[in-house]
Amino acid sequence: VTVYFFKYNMHDATLSSFILSLQFVSLLAVVLTPWTSRKIGKRNTMLGGMILACVGQLLLSWGASSLNVPIIVVATIVGYMGTGYVSGLIAVMLADAVDYGEWKNGVRAEGIVTSFSSFSAKLGMGFGGVITGWILTGTGYVANHAQTGAALHGIELNYIWVPLLGFALSGISLLFYHVDGIEKKMQSDLAAKHAKENAEG
């Protein structure tokens, strides 16, 4: 929805390319992720990323309401830093989930966890497209025309508030993730289990 937002709400479609190019900032967060994870844990690092993403969206709302490009740029950088932390940890925390499943239930479901992750990502993108379409249609968006106030609000809703809701719900779900606290014992138990299996095999 970035292109829609800058074309119709900000009246400068060329800005969308610049804003999207700021995604390189997320690489800085990815580089910092191992260090941050060691300091505060993986769950807290990802949760911090979600919080940063939420803060970025709130700043974006402020910039959008005042049509202030510098604020929007800062908001975008903050948001991309947040999502960078999330991106840097997804694969690692999926691996932890596989280990936890084996440790807790004796079942190492690597295939199911990996395939469900891929499926859920595709499902999320699908839902994102559907929600975007519903909101744009419901608020009267007409392509390549001057938009009504309702349509502009719909574009803003798509660009700012729907992602904010997604980040917030993701952050809340992370509050129920407690693997970090038992990871050392879990890895120790699994190492002993695998050593025993290898010795017996």
Side-chain angles (χ1 to χ4, degrees), residues 42-162:
K42 287 175 273 193
R43 191 281 299 267
N44 291 338
T45 298
M46 185 177 275
L47 181 58
M50 293 297 183
I51 291 171
L52 274 177
C54 288
V55 170
Q57 293 302 115
L58 291 172
L59 287 172
L60 196 56
S61 171
W62 179 27
S65 64
S66 59
L67 300 180
N68 189 309
V69 174
I71 291 176
I72 290 173
V73 170
V74 170
T76 302
I77 290 171
V78 171
Y80 282 153
M81 280 294 292
T83 55
Y85 280 115
V86 174
S87 299
L89 280 169
I90 286 176
V92 177
M93 291 174 75
L94 281 173
D96 288 346
V98 171
D99 288 342
Y100 179 78
E102 181 182 7
W103 179 74
K104 187 75 172 177
N105 304 311
V107 178
R108 190 167 184 83
E110 293 167 309
I112 292 174
V113 171
T114 304
S115 60
F116 185 77
S117 171
S118 177
F119 170 76
S120 62
K122 291 179 175 66
L123 187 66
M125 287 187 284
F127 273 126
V130 168
I131 290 169
T132 296
W134 282 346
I135 293 174
L136 291 178
T137 300
T139 54
Y141 168 79
V142 180
N144 300 316
H145 285 73
Q147 304 301 321
T148 64
L152 293 174
H153 178 69
I155 293 170
E156 186 175 312
L157 189 65
N158 267 313
Y159 190 60
I160 299 170
W161 300 107
V162 171

Side-chain angles (χ1 to χ4, degrees), residues 25-38 45 81 85:
V25 172
S26 64
L27 295 175
L28 174 61
V30 172
V31 170
L32 292 173
T33 294
W35 179 83
T36 310
S37 297
R38 284 193 297 270
T45 298
M81 280 294 292
Y85 280 115

